[in-house]
Amino acid sequence: MDFLQLDTGAADPLYRQIYLRFRDAITQGLLQPGDRIPAARALALELGLARGTVESAYGLLTAEGYVEARGQAGTVVTPALARHAPVAPTPRHAPAHDNLGDAASTTMPFQMGIPALDAFPRKVWARLAARAVRAMRPQDMIYPPWAGLPELRIAIAAYLQLSRGIDCTPSQVFITNGYRNSMELVTRALLKPGDGVWVEDPGYPPTSDLLREAGMRVAPVAVDGEGVMVSHGIASAPQARAAIVTPGHQSPLCVSLSLPRRLALLDWAAQSGAWIVEDDYDGEYRYVSRPLPALQSLDREGRVLYSGTFSKVLFPAIRLAYIVVSPAQVPRFEEISRTFAASGPTLMQHIVADFMNEGHFARHIQRMRRLYAERREIAAEGLSAVLGKHVRIDPQPGGMHLILRMKGHHTDRAVAARMREHGMSALALSERGVLPHGASALLLAFTNVDTPERARELGKRILKLMA
Amino acid sequence: MDFLQLDTGAADPLYRQIYLRFRDAITQGLLQPGDRIPAARALALELGLARGTVESAYGLLTAEGYVEARGQAGTVVTPALARHAPVAPTPRHAPAHDNLGDAASTTMPFQMGIPALDAFPRKVWARLAARAVRAMRPQDMIYPPWAGLPELRIAIAAYLQLSRGIDCTPSQVFITNGYRNSMELVTRALLKPGDGVWVEDPGYPPTSDLLREAGMRVAPVAVDGEGVMVSHGIASAPQARAAIVTPGHQSPLCVSLSLPRRLALLDWAAQSGAWIVEDDYDGEYRYVSRPLPALQSLDREGRVLYSGTFSKVLFPAIRLAYIVVSPAQVPRFEEISRTFAASGPTLMQHIVADFMNEGHFARHIQRMRRLYAERREIAAEGLSAVLGKHVRIDPQPGGMHLILRMKGHHTDRAVAARMREHGMSALALSERGVLPHGASALLLAFTNVDTPERARELGKRILKLMA
């Protein structure tokens, strides 16, 4: 067990070090499928550790499928690994087809919805977090206010005013455990089972999945170059009680909802008494001009709920998002956030509030906007240079991914499937909706493509799969 | 503004220090209702700070009702404070009747559901948190697995086996954002709107509120000295699809569900295909004998879901709980946790997993069990000595609160209301259910009553209110 060099001064706890050493030994082939690993008791003795420490590591390896207990015969490296990569107990957070190599590193190339993690100011973050946890007082340990920490609600309201033209008081801002939790609050607060809800098509399938589980009737509405086709929605599902839309950059087509469409949508909502949820998941990231003001800022009738998240501007593991409701809806949302205990851990809310209040947030967004503009260029140029015969890359004003339209005989689904088999992440546009639209394109995030060399190298890997 | 001594080396950020200094100055009467406070710009100049820092502090003070902006006339200490205490924008997390003095300190005397925060090992916690955040790698920044971090699921499964006799694999453990989120997952996964659900009466009103908002029909079932009366449930709501029960220490009566009742309940569930949710919110805290094994450990038919939380054994602001489901239900719960993105921030899950894996958790529970046994004695003796003429204190094997039965002409509601008016927390047993049962008692948490002197002093405060 030469690979088991532990570092007692390291930040990682010992059980995790053992787990990581074994995992690396297995993925690198030092330990082969079928090889026996030492009994926990024996290894603990050898390393001079508590048996529980080794057992925790083994438990993790077992749960993730790296090793298997074989009763009397001891524990062995999972024999099936010879054929395919093991699967973590809950691998569904990635768009599927995670494989071991990539799960062990960071994320897969082109993985959607993941910001440029290398550019996140981790030291500042760690400093604020350490400070917040040291300063923890008894009143920070009781239940946080259900609607969220006042500090954070205030900071968000101020930010939205400045950056998105949204005029709201902190009491209209409700902190949630993430975008899906925001949508859940909306369905609980304003809708009832059986209600029709417009969703964009192509769109973001998790939204439709959530609405269906919540008992709503999902009504897909077509999207064109001006965004969601309001007239199509009115024709096909006039009785809908709500519409969930992405006016900033349509997900996944990246188009902005045109002003006439914005007005038509607001008009429909006002006349039919329906609600509009503006999902502004990455509204900050527009590169060719100033970000557009939010749809909510045009709303005179209090029909728009604005949904924001920290997953894209900070990072997804924070699990904090928010929803801004009209003043008339505040009492109902207070009731619902209390009943379902929305908002998140006090510590996370404190860290984000401090990050915003001390100017790091605005600086980070500025920096990321420049970085993404650059990476988008790099990725588009590198991929075009190599794949130009097969794809045409959409020009687009913002967002976090490229759209590669298929020109030849290849279908987006076939190429995306091949890419996933070969350790890349890829989404096919034709899989993102249910309406027939004939568009065939790959959706590839550029946020983690950091050099021209990397872009061309990835392009070549895709080209090889198309041969 | 002599009170504005800021400490640039302090753990609290400057905006927060300003906020706290003003708040204290107002609550202590240094600043009187109607007094003008300096313009943010002027104060920032005077203190040599960025204007935004002062504005953040003022925003917080405004949101919480301490000060009011008066346009041209500047900002003043809220005149209405002369009559009553201001209310934070979302004060509903406490059982109502928070007032300013107490909101500014920690918690109110006798506040239910709050562990002994003074005894929490905050230094260890801060050390683990700082370590976890320093060790944050890109793979810790993407979406956490929806069902929870494998490390935490493994640690919980091992802990439940040892302490509660629950035999489960980590894949049966689903991490949630708290007890209410656990209940929400259960209703999403297993029930449909209109389904009947048994709840204990007297019981825990937030459970009923949540079930009603989720569209369930709530069926109150009476509780006696042996716990929930299964025969009453079968007679009054035989078609119910689920029962939510607290077999360890019934909430709020603290009785344990007797073995015959446990078997009758399991039998009913097996025969009618109903689900039992075992809410084991404080199962660790039994003082006269070993904690009882969980009801789940008797279940042979896979009808019991076990609900645990870290709010009581650690502290509520963590917002982490879990639900253990039968192997047959794992796929359905995986689907539901993915759809609604349950589980919590990666950082919080890491800290708790490390806290468990490194032995702090078991030590903390041991220590708290001794401490609570002691505080329960102290509180019961002190209160009896002073209030013996008016109340009889139930003997009880565990839990985190005392039950003071009213002996004289006082009703629990009247005394509880008076106590709340005078800055104490108090719940009246007669308010905790809808069925008529004639019991009149005060529910008072003893977890933060730390000395005999304190107990007697609090007793005298109550006695005065009864005169």
Side-chain angles (χ1 to χ4, degrees):
Chain A
M1 300 285 123
D2 289 345
F3 60 84
L4 270 174
Q5 300 296 329
L6 305 185
D7 174 2
T8 50
D12 263 348
L14 291 169
Y15 82 92
R16 196 172 166 87
Q17 292 187 41
I18 297 173
Y19 155 76
L20 290 171
R21 299 289 183 286
F22 267 101
R23 204 183 63 177
D24 292 348
I26 294 168
T27 54
Q28 290 159 13
L30 280 177
L31 287 174
Q32 294 285 333
D35 281 0
R36 271 187 64 175
I37 65 170
R41 182 197 301 264
L43 185 60
L45 260 177
E46 189 186 324
L47 297 174
L49 298 173
R51 186 167 153 196
T53 304
V54 178
E55 278 172 351
S56 293
Y58 280 18
L60 208 46
L61 292 163
T62 311
E64 297 189 357
Y66 292 95
V67 303
E68 280 179 17
R70 285 287 170 92
Q72 292 293 329
T75 300
V76 299
V77 177
T78 307
L81 286 185
R83 281 178 286 113
H84 54 76
V87 169
T90 53
R92 310 218 188 181
H93 56 296
H97 304 280
D98 254 4
N99 72 20
L100 179 65
D102 288 297
S105 70
T106 52
T107 54
M108 280 183 283
F110 303 128
Q111 197 168 320
M112 296 276 280
I114 307 293
L117 301 173
D118 58 322
F120 186 77
R122 278 191 268 175
K123 280 201 177 155
V124 171
W125 185 260
R127 183 166 55 76
L128 297 187
R131 187 182 72 185
V133 78
R134 270 199 318 271
M136 185 172 79
R137 299 149 302 167
Q139 62 266 45
D140 299 317
M141 298 169 73
I142 61 174
Y143 292 94
W146 298 132
L149 282 199
E151 289 94 319
L152 183 57
R153 300 171 79 191
I154 292 165
I156 291 171
Y159 163 71
L160 290 177
Q161 169 81 70
L162 205 68
S163 72
R164 314 293 293 123
I166 291 175
D167 198 16
C168 68
T169 66
S171 63
Q172 290 170 255
V173 180
F174 289 80
I175 309 297
T176 73
N177 288 300
Y179 165 73
R180 296 172 204 217
N181 190 223
S182 296
M183 290 308 106
E184 198 169 12
L185 288 194
V186 170
T187 62
R188 296 282 196 205
L190 303 177
L191 303 175
K192 47 183 202 313
D195 280 354
V197 181
W198 292 3
V199 298
E200 297 168 333
D201 193 300
Y204 183 60
T207 302
S208 303
D209 293 347
L210 184 149
L211 292 169
R212 268 188 292 266
E213 277 290 1
M216 310 295 141
R217 284 183 302 114
V218 172
V221 179
V223 176
D224 66 9
E226 288 188 55
V228 68
M229 297 173 68
V230 179
S231 58
H232 175 238
I234 293 173
S236 64
Q239 305 302 326
R241 305 303 308 140
I244 301 188
V245 293
T246 51
H249 308 123
Q250 200 274 335
S251 170
L253 293 176
C254 284
V255 294
S256 291
L257 191 62
S258 69
L259 187 59
R261 291 274 174 87
R262 287 176 188 235
L263 298 175
L265 186 63
L266 291 170
D267 208 46
W268 165 74
Q271 288 189 11
S272 63
W275 302 101
I276 300 169
V277 178
E278 174 173 26
D279 171 12
D280 199 31
Y281 61 106
D282 70 349
E284 287 82 4
Y285 295 136
R286 190 179 175 88
Y287 314 112
V288 294
S289 55
R290 247 184 89 78
L292 293 171
L295 174 65
Q296 199 269 7
S297 67
L298 293 177
D299 176 28
R300 297 279 163 273
E301 311 285 331
R303 309 309 305 174
V304 176
L305 297 96
Y306 176 90
S307 159
T309 174
F310 291 106
S311 289
K312 308 291 183 287
V313 286
L314 298 176
F315 55 92
I318 293 183
R319 313 305 305 129
L320 280 180
Y322 51 91
I323 186 122
V324 181
V325 310
S326 70
Q329 291 304 323
V330 166
R332 177 63 179 145
F333 273 80
E334 283 180 351
E335 190 180 3
I336 285 291
S337 12
R338 184 180 70 251
T339 304
F340 293 98
S343 108
T346 304
L347 178 63
M348 302 308 294
Q349 296 190 62
H350 261 307
I351 303 172
V352 176
D354 290 352
F355 196 81
M356 295 180 88
N357 279 320
E358 297 177 23
H360 306 295
F361 189 70
R363 261 197 302 281
H364 179 59
I365 290 175
Q366 283 301 332
R367 210 181 308 126
M368 296 308 280
R369 205 177 276 154
R370 279 195 301 272
L371 182 76
Y372 286 165
E374 202 178 289
R375 289 193 175 177
R376 191 177 61 127
E377 274 310 297
I378 286 174
E381 277 181 24
L383 293 174
S384 288
V386 180
L387 297 171
K389 226 176 74 186
H390 300 290
V391 303
R392 192 189 71 241
I393 298 181
D394 270 8
Q396 64 195 51
M400 296 167 71
H401 67 271
L402 296 175
I403 301 175
L404 285 68
R405 304 267 173 191
M406 309 304 290
K407 289 199 299 194
H409 61 286
H410 294 287
T411 67
D412 56 354
R413 290 181 194 222
V415 178
R418 294 272 289 155
M419 286 177 69
R420 293 192 289 239
E421 281 163 23
H422 288 77
M424 288 178 274
S425 184
L427 289 177
L429 176 59
S430 67
E431 292 171 325
R432 290 285 298 258
V434 297
L435 299 175
H437 51 76
S440 180
L442 294 173
L443 309 174
L444 305 183
F446 57 75
T447 45
N448 284 291
V449 178
D450 53 354
T451 61
E453 294 70 37
R454 176 76 172 151
R456 274 195 298 275
E457 179 225 316
L458 289 167
K460 283 176 195 157
R461 278 172 67 182
I462 300 172
L463 187 66
K464 225 168 116 185
L465 301 175
M466 293 172 115
Chain B
M1 301 285 125
D2 287 345
F3 60 86
L4 270 173
Q5 300 296 327
L6 305 186
D7 175 2
T8 51
D12 263 348
L14 290 169
Y15 82 93
R16 198 174 164 85
Q17 291 187 44
I18 297 172
Y19 155 75
L20 291 170
R21 299 289 182 286
F22 268 102
R23 204 182 62 178
D24 291 349
I26 294 167
T27 54
Q28 290 159 13
L30 279 177
L31 287 173
Q32 295 285 334
D35 281 358
R36 271 189 64 176
I37 65 170
R41 182 197 300 266
L43 184 60
L45 259 178
E46 188 187 325
L47 298 173
L49 297 173
R51 184 168 155 195
T53 304
V54 178
E55 278 173 350
S56 293
Y58 281 16
L60 210 45
L61 292 163
T62 310
E64 296 189 357
Y66 292 94
V67 303
E68 281 179 15
R70 288 283 172 93
Q72 292 293 328
T75 300
V76 299
V77 177
T78 306
L81 286 183
R83 282 177 285 113
H84 53 76
V87 170
T90 52
R92 311 215 186 183
H93 56 295
H97 305 280
D98 254 5
N99 71 22
L100 178 66
D102 288 295
S105 70
T106 53
T107 55
M108 280 183 282
F110 304 127
Q111 196 167 321
M112 297 276 279
I114 307 293
L117 300 174
D118 58 322
F120 186 77
R122 277 192 268 174
K123 279 201 177 152
V124 171
W125 184 261
R127 184 166 52 77
L128 296 187
R131 187 182 72 185
V133 79
R134 270 200 316 273
M136 186 171 80
R137 299 148 302 166
Q139 61 266 46
D140 299 317
M141 298 170 72
I142 60 174
Y143 292 96
W146 299 132
L149 282 200
E151 290 93 318
L152 183 57
R153 301 171 79 191
I154 292 166
I156 291 171
Y159 162 71
L160 291 177
Q161 169 81 69
L162 205 68
S163 72
R164 314 293 294 122
I166 290 174
D167 198 16
C168 69
T169 65
S171 62
Q172 290 170 256
V173 179
F174 290 80
I175 309 298
T176 72
N177 289 302
Y179 164 73
R180 297 173 202 216
N181 190 223
S182 297
M183 291 307 106
E184 196 170 13
L185 288 194
V186 170
T187 62
R188 295 282 196 204
L190 303 177
L191 303 175
K192 48 183 200 313
D195 280 354
V197 181
W198 292 3
V199 298
E200 297 169 333
D201 194 303
Y204 183 61
T207 302
S208 303
D209 292 346
L210 183 149
L211 292 170
R212 268 189 290 266
E213 276 290 1
M216 310 293 141
R217 283 183 302 115
V218 172
V221 179
V223 175
D224 66 9
E226 289 188 54
V228 68
M229 297 174 71
V230 179
S231 58
H232 175 239
I234 293 174
S236 64
Q239 305 301 328
R241 306 303 308 139
I244 302 189
V245 293
T246 51
H249 308 123
Q250 200 273 336
S251 170
L253 293 176
C254 283
V255 295
S256 290
L257 191 62
S258 70
L259 187 58
R261 291 272 174 89
R262 286 176 189 238
L263 298 175
L265 186 62
L266 291 170
D267 209 45
W268 165 74
Q271 287 188 11
S272 63
W275 303 101
I276 300 169
V277 178
E278 174 173 27
D279 172 11
D280 199 32
Y281 62 106
D282 69 350
E284 288 80 5
Y285 295 137
R286 192 180 173 89
Y287 314 112
V288 294
S289 57
R290 249 183 88 76
L292 292 171
L295 174 66
Q296 198 269 7
S297 67
L298 293 176
D299 176 27
R300 298 279 164 271
E301 311 285 331
R303 308 312 303 176
V304 176
L305 295 96
Y306 177 91
S307 159
T309 173
F310 290 107
S311 288
K312 308 291 184 286
V313 287
L314 297 177
F315 55 91
I318 293 182
R319 312 305 306 125
L320 281 179
Y322 50 91
I323 185 121
V324 180
V325 310
S326 71
Q329 291 304 322
V330 167
R332 177 64 178 143
F333 273 81
E334 283 180 350
E335 192 179 2
I336 286 291
S337 11
R338 184 179 70 251
T339 304
F340 294 99
S343 107
T346 304
L347 177 64
M348 302 309 293
Q349 296 191 63
H350 262 306
I351 303 172
V352 175
D354 290 352
F355 196 81
M356 295 181 88
N357 279 319
E358 297 178 23
H360 306 295
F361 189 70
R363 260 196 303 280
H364 179 59
I365 290 175
Q366 284 300 331
R367 210 181 308 128
M368 297 308 279
R369 206 177 276 152
R370 281 195 300 272
L371 183 75
Y372 285 166
E374 204 178 288
R375 290 192 174 177
R376 190 176 60 127
E377 275 309 297
I378 286 174
E381 278 180 24
L383 293 175
S384 289
V386 180
L387 297 171
K389 225 176 73 186
H390 300 289
V391 303
R392 193 188 72 241
I393 298 182
D394 270 8
Q396 64 194 52
M400 296 167 70
H401 66 273
L402 296 174
I403 302 174
L404 285 69
R405 304 268 174 190
M406 309 305 290
K407 291 200 297 195
H409 60 284
H410 293 288
T411 67
D412 56 354
R413 290 183 194 222
V415 178
R418 294 273 289 157
M419 287 177 68
R420 292 192 288 238
E421 280 163 23
H422 287 77
M424 288 177 274
S425 184
L427 288 177
L429 176 58
S430 66
E431 292 171 325
R432 290 285 298 257
V434 297
L435 298 175
H437 51 75
S440 180
L442 294 174
L443 309 174
L444 304 183
F446 57 74
T447 44
N448 285 291
V449 178
D450 53 354
T451 61
E453 295 70 39
R454 177 74 172 151
R456 275 195 298 275
E457 179 225 317
L458 289 168
K460 285 176 194 156
R461 279 172 66 182
I462 300 172
L463 188 65
K464 226 169 116 186
L465 302 176
M466 294 171 113

